[in-house]
Amino acid sequence: MKFSFPMAVGLVAAVACSATLAQSDTLSKIKASGTVQIGGRDSQVPFSYKPGGGGDPVGFTNDICMKIVDAIKAKLGMPELKVNYTILTSTNRIPLLTNGTVDLDCATTTNTVQRQQQVAFAPSHFVTNITAAVKKSSGINTLAELNGKKVSTVSGSTGVQLLRGYRKSGNIEVEELAAKDTADGFLLLASDRTVAYILDDVQLAGLIATSPTPGDFKILTTESLRQEPYGIMYRKEDPQFKELVDKTVTDLMKSGAINQIYAKWFTKPIPPTNANLNFPMTEPVKEIYKNPNNKGV
């Protein structure tokens, strides 16, 4: 079959338009492929991590996302729907979500107003404080005492921006070493290549609890660069998927079911070493469960 040039151009445009619509309609994309694509992490204890270094991620955020997967199965009438994981990083999570590689980002992404220009967020499932972990032997007790020292951060994280803002305020001057992920950032501290690690307090607690020598470290709990909400990311401008995701997460909170999931990961032994984070639910977390919202910082 031969097409005239104008007709061929029109056909290409129609195909491109169809592809765009398919990507924006996540439920249709999932139904057509028979698979929901989950973005996870390999070391974000206890939110999304691989306990033995292999297999699929587990964790608090992952459990919430599995409830969303159950809702998708019910909505589409596909009880055998497959789940496929892609391990994301702080730098590629948004590009791989927006281009359709993953359908849900199920980890520790901070809901920010800036990110909301590119993606949508489910109601926040956690609130954390950005602070520092240090070795007890360092004698450091405040952020100001980091002046003139090396600190580790995670490339692409909000902690990087907050630390730079803190530096610009004239409070301290530090040398920053950026790690590719949370595990590498902690390794820089544990191996004494840095004296502090700037990260979310709960992630620091997880890294310390699962380290070979948890008693060597402490978190500067009396100071915070900022309080931040975590949210599950999905693509913007997809009203059907938004309704399903947001309702599932909100129902978990309103019903109280989220409390059991929280206790499982934050106040009980977790794999692989049966470490206990001993991280009771904070007042900010209780508040977002009482009044679910997806407000960004």
Side-chain angles (χ1 to χ4, degrees):
M1 182 181 294
K2 295 182 179 179
F3 294 107
S4 65
F5 181 72
M7 184 179 294
V9 172
L11 180 62
V12 172
V15 171
C17 180
S18 175
T20 301
L21 287 173
Q23 182 171 307
S24 65
D25 183 354
T26 303
L27 290 175
S28 294
K29 172 180 176 291
I30 292 171
K31 186 172 184 178
S33 66
T35 304
V36 56
Q37 303 287 345
I38 302 294
R41 307 291 190 276
D42 53 13
S43 61
Q44 290 184 342
V45 180
F47 297 91
S48 179
Y49 70 107
K50 295 182 177 183
D56 293 333
V58 301
F60 178 61
T61 312
N62 189 72
D63 278 4
I64 297 172
C65 276
M66 289 304 98
K67 297 295 185 182
I68 297 173
V69 170
D70 289 342
I72 294 171
K73 290 179 178 179
K75 175 76 173 179
L76 299 179
M78 299 176 69
E80 302 303 317
L81 183 68
K82 296 178 182 178
V83 176
N84 184 63
Y85 285 91
T86 297
I87 299 303
L88 304 180
T89 66
S90 296
T91 52
N92 69 15
R93 55 189 167 186
I94 290 180
L96 293 184
L97 178 71
T98 56
N99 74 10
T101 300
V102 298
D103 302 314
L104 292 163
D105 170 63
C106 303
T108 59
T109 301
T110 298
N111 181 347
T112 69
V113 174
Q114 183 179 18
R115 287 174 179 159
Q116 286 180 6
Q117 303 303 310
Q118 303 176 73
V119 298
F121 284 89
S124 301
H125 58 276
F126 198 83
V127 179
T128 189
N129 287 298
I130 306 300
T131 186
V134 298
K135 283 191 172 180
K136 293 177 180 177
S137 60
S138 70
I140 295 172
N141 297 298
T142 66
L143 292 174
E145 291 174 291
L146 298 178
N147 188 46
K149 297 178 172 61
K150 290 183 180 179
V151 303
S152 47
T153 60
V154 178
S155 179
S157 69
T158 55
V160 173
Q161 303 166 26
L162 293 169
L163 177 61
R164 290 173 183 170
Y166 188 68
R167 290 165 61 188
K168 287 179 181 178
S169 68
N171 292 315
I172 60 172
E173 185 55 50
V174 299
E175 181 180 346
E176 177 188 328
L177 296 184
K180 67 175 182 178
D181 58 30
T182 54
D184 280 353
F186 187 73
L187 181 60
L188 291 173
L189 170 63
S191 60
D192 295 318
R193 282 175 282 176
T194 63
V195 299
Y197 184 19
I198 306 296
L199 194 67
D200 314 29
D201 58 359
V202 66
Q203 290 192 66
L204 291 172
L207 290 163
I208 291 171
T210 54
S211 72
T213 56
D216 289 354
F217 305 93
K218 67 179 180 181
I219 300 172
L220 304 185
T221 56
T222 60
E223 290 190 279
S224 173
L225 292 174
R226 185 169 71 178
Q227 194 174 80
E228 296 189 340
Y230 291 166
I232 293 167
M233 287 197 299
Y234 54 93
R235 283 180 286 281
K236 289 171 64 71
E237 300 174 0
D238 190 345
Q240 279 192 310
F241 196 59
K242 174 181 174 57
E243 181 181 8
L244 182 148
V245 172
D246 290 9
K247 183 179 187 303
T248 302
V249 176
T250 298
D251 286 351
L252 282 175
M253 296 172 181
K254 290 292 188 178
S255 68
I258 194 76
N259 297 331
Q260 285 71 47
I261 302 175
Y262 186 99
K264 172 185 174 182
W265 293 103
F266 293 98
T267 62
K268 296 180 180 180
I270 61 174
T273 61
N274 288 325
N276 189 329
L277 271 65
N278 291 310
F279 204 93
M281 197 178 291
T282 63
E283 289 304 317
V285 171
K286 291 177 183 177
E287 177 58 29
I288 61 169
Y289 293 167
K290 182 179 179 182
N291 297 294
N293 70 84
N294 64 348
K295 297 176 182 176
V297 293

